[in-house]
Amino acid sequence: MAREMSGAPAILPLAVEGLTYTAGEARLIDDLTFRLEPGPRTVIVGPNGAGKSLLLRLCHGLLTPTAGTIRWSGGAGPDASRRQAMVFQRPVMLRRSAAANVEFALSLRHIPRDQRKQRVAAALAKTGLADVAGRPARVLSFGEQQRLALARAWALEPQVLWLDEPTASLDPAATRAVEAIIDAIHAGGTKIVMTTHDLGQARRLGDEIVLLHKGRIVERAPTADFFERPQSPLSRAFIQGELLW
Amino acid sequence: MTDFGAAFAAAVSLIATLDAGLVEIVGLSLRVSLSAVFIATMISLPLGAAVALFRFPGRGAVVVVLNALMGLPPVVVGLIVYLMLSRAGPFGVLGLLFTPTAMIVAQVILITPIIASLARQVIEDLWEEYSEQLRSLGAGPRQAVGALLWDGRFSLFTAVLAGFGRASAEVGAVMIVGGNIDHVTRVMTTAIALEVSKGDLALALGLGIILIVLSVGITGAAFVLRESARRAHGA
Ligand SMILES: Nc1ncnc2c1ncn2[C@@H]1O[C@H](COP(=O)(O)OP(=O)(O)O)[C@@H](O)[C@H]1O
Ligand SMILES: [Mg+2]
């Protein structure tokens, strides 16, 4: 399925080197070097202000690093951004119907008009939104809006999906629905990179955990190892719910 | 008082019978102001979008100038256009002074800053909300502008209505560059301004009633638009 969705060359692995983002004196992202491989779901955890959102936006290309490089494989060049999608903490809904929100995204990726309708319908059906396809997106409930944001990203069949605290403002039922969708997107072959401050969610969804603190990677480990055998005292403190500002 | 009563009755009958003189004046007014609004909108939307989205040298100055020009007194605009179009002015050879075209030019100058300023505000607010999402989806500048104009359509139309309201109500600019020439450049506001002093209260009142209806209509349309947009899109 992973290859079926894109005859396009693979953009993973991603090699990040010396990634730094500063604002004034503050080093908000501080000299990060890491690789992201296709496959495992990577969950980035860390306290508020750790730099999780900044890191995703830098990797996705929404921000320009102060220093360092972000290199996608296969010489995809500027084309790499077309093989990614991002879902933000607060869903950004265009002032159009749910279906038109998805269709708009497809049109930006130059999907031929005759294929769009069917892809829109499929994405809405898979996210349980078929019934509200014609409703203005902004009058949907918050949970529905976040599912629509996922449908819009999913319809693009990205190789990498960035998710920035996608359930932060949702109730438990809406959170479960979103988690199920994320699982399904991953099952389709999309690399998931997600931030959360909910450790339960990190356990449920993560194949590997990255703990970010003050713009630095404190620890990166497979989920079981991270929670059972944390190597860093900071990780232990974080798992025990002690805040780390 | 009886004078007024009689004039009012005459005014109503002018409207009811679609008096030729009155219809001509209303028609010219609408032609001038609608043309001005159309042209000003064509200038304002791209200008407002450019100022809202792009950082370029002099952008701050453009914002300040646009805001300052919003309150430009119509007579000043009239005077400037008069000087430009008068025989001795830089565009004198065009022979446009005292024509409807001159009036359209004056009104375009008068309302472009209004529509552009309002449009800039609308588009800037939307861009603030949309920019990362649109860039994430891969929208280029043209596609982003298209999406912003479409999603801001209700608010933008309200801005256009504000421009039309100002154009159709102003008297100073069209008076100076049009000259209130009967059958040529006489519009509602200039007719009212001059017919009152000449004693034709009925025509002035009739036109006044139409102007009021127009103004109420514009305000009402703007309100309905806002409400339906809010209900349909939560914004
Ligand atoms: N554009 C910016 N300019 C300056 N500081 C910023 C900017 N964006 C975020 N920050 C700061 O960077 C830090 C990390 O922010 P963020 O990535 O949003 O944290 P997290 O998502 O982990 O809660 C915070 O202290 C925040 O205030
Ligand atoms: Mg964040």
Side-chain angles (χ1 to χ4, degrees):
Chain A
M1 174 92 189
R3 288 310 112 221
E4 171 248 311
M5 68 177 159
S6 54
I11 60 172
L12 287 169
L14 167 70
V16 171
E17 258 184 60
L19 183 65
T20 301
Y21 188 82
T22 61
E25 291 295 286
R27 298 176 70 81
L28 302 173
I29 294 294
D30 194 359
D31 196 18
L32 298 188
T33 297
F34 61 89
R35 284 167 66 86
L36 287 177
E37 307 287 343
R41 293 163 298 180
T42 302
V43 172
I44 301 169
V45 297
N48 265 328
K52 303 183 294 295
S53 300
L54 281 177
L55 179 56
L56 289 199
R57 287 154 72 212
L58 283 162
C59 290
H60 186 37
L62 294 176
L63 290 176
T64 309
T66 310
T69 57
I70 294 166
R71 229 174 37 252
W72 297 94
S73 100
D79 250 18
S81 62
R82 315 182 123 279
R83 319 242 158 81
Q84 311 167 34
M86 179 154 173
V87 169
F88 297 85
Q89 183 170 341
R90 297 188 58 84
V92 183
M93 296 285 107
L94 304 186
R95 288 159 173 77
R96 325 167 177 216
S97 72
N101 264 271
V102 180
E103 157 130 38
F104 173 72
L106 291 171
S107 74
L108 288 180
R109 299 283 169 105
H110 308 297
I111 305 299
R113 197 175 291 271
D114 54 338
Q115 291 174 30
R116 282 185 221 154
K117 226 182 180 53
Q118 183 258 325
R119 276 173 76 163
V120 169
L124 292 176
K126 287 189 290 188
T127 49
L129 294 170
D131 291 343
V132 298
R135 295 250 294 276
R138 297 167 66 89
V139 305
L140 299 179
S141 77
F142 212 62
E144 286 170 327
Q145 290 191 15
Q146 196 58 292
R147 266 150 58 207
L148 179 55
L150 284 160
R152 186 168 58 190
W154 201 353
L156 300 175
E157 298 178 353
Q159 292 184 22
V160 181
L161 176 58
W162 309 97
L163 297 149
D164 193 8
E165 304 215 26
T167 63
S169 18
L170 301 185
D171 63 33
T175 296
R176 275 196 301 281
V178 163
E179 288 183 0
I181 292 168
I182 294 170
D183 263 341
I185 295 175
H186 179 247
T190 296
K191 166 77 177 183
I192 301 290
V193 184
M194 180 174 119
T195 70
T196 182
H197 62 245
D198 174 351
L199 288 178
Q201 181 169 65
R203 278 179 202 270
R204 287 193 296 278
L205 289 186
D207 295 313
E208 62 165 350
I209 307 289
V210 175
L211 173 61
L212 199 66
H213 183 229
K214 294 186 176 165
R216 290 166 175 270
I217 293 176
V218 172
E219 184 163 348
R220 178 178 186 177
T223 303
D225 292 347
F226 180 84
F227 285 106
E228 310 315 328
R229 290 171 292 282
Q231 298 300 302
S232 156
L234 276 175
S235 302
R236 272 193 291 280
F238 185 69
I239 293 164
Q240 281 155 22
E242 294 160 28
L243 296 176
L244 293 172
W245 263 276
Chain B
M1 204 58 225
T2 50
D3 246 16
F4 177 78
F8 191 79
V12 172
S13 116
L14 280 181
I15 297 173
T17 60
L18 294 177
D19 173 76
L22 177 127
V23 167
E24 185 187 357
I25 293 173
V26 173
L28 181 64
S29 296
L30 290 179
R31 201 184 109 208
V32 167
S33 294
L34 287 175
S35 304
V37 165
F38 178 78
I39 296 168
T41 301
M42 290 301 116
I43 299 170
S44 299
L45 293 189
L47 183 62
V51 175
L53 263 61
F54 305 120
R55 300 287 169 264
F56 50 87
R59 177 183 172 276
V62 174
V63 173
V64 170
V65 167
L66 277 182
N67 283 332
L69 292 185
M70 267 180 97
L72 216 55
V75 283
V76 173
V77 173
L79 180 62
I80 293 167
V81 175
Y82 181 91
L83 292 175
M84 294 286 152
L85 298 182
S86 66
R87 192 77 50 83
F91 302 105
V93 289
L94 299 176
L96 289 176
L97 203 57
F98 305 128
T99 65
T101 306
M103 299 156 81
I104 294 172
V105 169
Q107 291 199 339
V108 167
I109 293 173
L110 190 68
I111 63 177
T112 295
I114 297 174
I115 304 178
S117 290
L118 294 172
R120 177 192 66 84
Q121 195 60 56
V122 168
I123 296 169
E124 203 165 282
D125 290 349
L126 264 185
W127 180 237
E128 169 95 6
E129 182 189 340
Y130 283 7
S131 86
E132 291 212 323
Q133 181 69 67
L134 289 181
R135 283 161 54 214
S136 169
L137 292 174
R142 283 213 359 235
Q143 295 156 317
V145 168
L148 294 170
L149 291 180
W150 177 249
D151 276 31
R153 59 198 179 276
F154 294 109
S155 312
L156 291 173
F157 194 67
T158 306
V160 171
L161 282 178
F164 180 68
R166 174 121 164 123
S168 57
E170 71 89 18
V171 54
V174 283
M175 181 79 92
I176 294 176
V177 304
N180 190 44
I181 304 166
D182 204 3
H183 304 305
V184 183
T185 58
R186 180 163 297 174
V187 290
M188 288 192 274
T189 54
T190 60
I192 293 174
L194 290 174
E195 298 312 311
V196 168
S197 56
K198 284 202 233 147
D200 191 348
L201 273 185
L203 181 62
L205 258 179
L207 293 170
I209 292 169
I210 293 175
L211 269 178
I212 290 173
V213 168
L214 209 57
S215 156
V216 170
I218 291 169
T219 314
F223 175 78
V224 167
L225 212 60
R226 249 197 326 276
E227 281 306 293
S228 51
R230 198 180 51 74
R231 239 174 297 116
H233 297 284

